[in-house]
Amino acid sequence: MKSTYKKGTDAVWAGEGNVNTKGATTTPIVNSVTFAYEDLDEWHKVATGKEPGYIYSRNTNPTVAALEEKIRVLEGAEAATSFSTGMAAISNSLFTFLTAGKRVVSLKDTYGGTSKVFLDFLPNYKVDVKLCDTTDHEMIEAEVAKGCDLLYLETPTNPTLKIVDIKRLAAAAKKVGAITMVDNTFATPINQNPLELGADLVVHSATKFLCGHSDAMGGLVAGKEEFVKKIFGFREINGASLQADPAYMIARGMKTLELRVERQNASALKIAKYLHQHPKIKDVFYPGLESHQGHAIAKSQMRGFGGMMSFSLDGGWELVKKFLPALKLVHLGASLGSVSTLAGPPRTTSHVELTEEQRRLLGIPESLVRYSVGIENVDDLLTDLEHALKKI
Ligand SMILES: *Cc1c(COP(=O)(O)O)cnc(C)c1O
């Protein structure tokens, strides 16, 4: 079951050839809602899971299955399943395990949508939600010890790239029999494998680095078979299934995942170092910098520090309004992890729902810029930043 290849090789080969189209060297897009059977006995066997095969694409689909196999291998998991978006993967997984009376422990800094599930939805279903200060490991351990059914982590976090120690916290969860689930969207399986660090489940917004081209949405979950089966059972009926077309796009993007992420790791580190010494920049948040408060943990659990960073300008919101439009090699928008560099202020993207005071409490300065490094030549990106910084 476990691959003996390196990530870059698995990214290209895993899951391919699963769909039986004689001689095809790439997985076909099977846009068939249903799968027909001439033999009724065989149909029954497939429908009841006694034989492999496909029945109906809300449940399973060959193209989608090829993508699921790719993430399963890349994350070193027993099983994997897929969703229409990253938020569908996260919310369906949470709702699978968090029924009335259960308790979930998580972080204040999770992705905006995830945070909304914790604050606005789960409490309505009588789930006890405890959100801890993201880097306060003692507090998280204490809250887990008080009783916990699910520990939900994200590292690095959005937008200030905080780092939490997966191994340490998964061990705490294990002690009380809690499931540990980690959002690995920012790191990608090239840089970090939470399951190897003791987590039970890993979740991805495949919309970001995995797809890598900002042209398809999806969500993926991988981990222990018994848990993935439960999540699949929930999704099968609740219906947030991934379609064959975006599954193909994501699997196609994933073939170049290692190339892209290695390039983005190298460029981001170079850019972070450049900004760190720049007089017009106040703070740079990048786990690859020794000055970053989570650097030691990041170094121990990540193979690369990723393509995401944020930095604050030495001034306020007015300065951001001058700086961002002066950049030429960026799309100003939400999302991240694409081949093209993308930037935006958390004030209008990930944390738009919060007040200035709430953002301040989360340690998000009004002059913060989130910067998702693309695969452009890094010298051009540095020149672009230099020009824009000269204008403010
Ligand atoms: C974007 C994102 C999500 C949500 O994914 P969608 O595909 O947009 O639903 C979840 N977690 C993280 C860290 C993200 O960046």
Side-chain angles (χ1 to χ4, degrees):
M1 281 274 266
K2 251 209 155 97
S3 167
T4 55
Y5 297 119
K6 301 271 194 285
K7 301 294 176 197
T9 308
D10 283 331
V12 175
W13 284 97
E16 303 292 328
N18 269 16
V19 182
N20 188 12
T21 305
K22 199 165 181 281
T25 57
T26 193
T27 300
I29 304 171
V30 184
N31 275 330
S32 184
V33 165
T34 189
F35 298 85
Y37 290 86
E38 281 167 21
D39 180 335
L40 294 187
D41 290 331
E42 189 196 349
W43 184 0
H44 187 257
K45 277 183 197 148
V46 173
T48 52
K50 291 191 184 84
E51 253 181 33
Y54 304 96
I55 298 287
Y56 186 63
S57 283
R58 168 154 48 73
N59 314 111
T60 52
N61 169 283
T63 312
V64 175
L67 171 66
E68 291 168 344
E69 176 62 4
K70 212 181 263 305
I71 196 67
R72 184 193 74 74
V73 174
L74 281 167
E75 286 292 9
E78 290 172 13
T81 190
S82 59
F83 294 87
S84 52
T85 64
M87 272 321 300
I90 293 166
S91 61
N92 278 259
S93 300
L94 291 174
F95 280 107
T96 297
F97 299 108
L98 297 172
T99 49
K102 303 270 184 183
R103 184 164 193 262
V104 57
V105 176
S106 189
L107 317 170
K108 283 187 184 160
D109 284 68
T110 54
Y111 177 74
T114 309
S115 178
K116 282 228 159 233
V117 175
F118 286 137
L119 296 172
D120 295 355
F121 295 102
L122 284 168
N124 293 337
Y125 298 89
K126 298 196 165 50
V127 173
D128 183 13
V129 177
K130 180 68 198 179
L131 302 186
C132 304
D133 290 335
T134 300
T135 54
D136 188 345
H137 288 76
E138 282 79 19
M139 178 188 182
I140 301 166
E141 282 171 332
E143 288 298 336
V144 166
K146 276 184 200 167
C148 170
D149 297 287
L150 193 138
L151 171 67
Y152 185 94
L153 305 174
E154 190 177 317
T155 180
T157 64
N158 193 5
T160 49
L161 287 291
K162 291 186 184 131
I163 302 290
V164 294
D165 190 329
I166 299 173
K167 204 177 208 167
R168 176 173 167 181
L169 297 176
K174 195 153 270 163
K175 267 192 209 155
V176 298
I179 297 169
T180 301
M181 185 167 167
V182 181
D183 184 335
N184 203 29
T185 301
F186 269 37
T188 82
I190 301 302
N191 286 331
Q192 175 173 279
N193 292 114
L195 301 179
E196 274 174 16
L197 300 163
D200 301 296
L201 290 164
V202 52
V203 58
H204 283 279
S205 166
T207 313
K208 312 292 171 57
F209 288 98
L210 298 185
C211 173
H213 296 72
S214 277
D215 54 6
M217 300 193 85
L220 295 165
V221 176
K224 291 225 170 85
E225 187 162 22
E226 97 178 88
F227 299 141
V228 172
K229 265 195 176 150
K230 277 192 186 154
I231 296 169
F232 169 74
F234 188 89
R235 187 270 271 160
E236 212 182 352
I237 300 308
N238 286 282
S241 313
L242 184 63
Q243 301 275 301
D245 277 312
Y248 175 83
M249 300 288 275
I250 294 163
R252 186 187 208 267
M254 281 172 74
K255 291 182 187 183
T256 55
L257 184 66
E258 186 183 57
L259 286 176
R260 286 186 283 109
V261 170
E262 281 181 351
R263 170 89 160 200
Q264 285 161 322
N265 285 344
S267 297
L269 186 61
K270 212 166 177 180
I271 290 167
K273 283 182 175 162
Y274 162 76
L275 293 172
H276 188 60
Q277 54 76 46
H278 199 287
K280 286 182 182 170
I281 300 292
K282 196 151 170 244
D283 280 309
V284 181
F285 302 93
Y286 185 66
L289 292 178
E290 273 166 37
S291 57
H292 187 279
Q293 68 152 339
H295 179 67
I297 303 170
K299 219 172 144 181
S300 73
Q301 69 187 14
M302 301 178 82
R303 289 178 289 269
F305 300 108
M308 287 301 301
M309 72 176 73
S310 61
F311 50 90
S312 55
L313 302 171
D314 201 1
W317 173 238
E318 286 308 311
L319 222 49
V320 177
K321 268 168 67 176
K322 264 194 217 150
F323 171 74
L324 280 178
L327 289 168
K328 288 205 175 75
L329 289 175
V330 294
H331 291 297
L332 298 183
S335 199
L336 56 103
S338 188
V339 287
S340 44
T341 297
L342 205 141
R347 193 182 191 274
T348 59
T349 57
S350 58
H351 290 71
V352 65
E353 299 94 349
L354 307 187
T355 62
E356 186 168 337
E357 174 63 10
Q358 284 172 321
R359 282 191 292 269
R360 198 185 58 75
L361 286 175
L362 276 176
I364 302 171
E366 290 303 286
S367 68
L368 195 72
V369 170
R370 198 180 66 172
Y371 194 81
S372 169
V373 181
I375 62 163
E376 301 91 342
N377 188 292
V378 68
D379 293 336
D380 289 328
L381 294 178
L382 287 166
T383 307
D384 194 36
L385 287 161
E386 176 91 40
H387 281 161
L389 284 167
K390 270 199 189 120
K391 286 193 182 154
I392 63 169

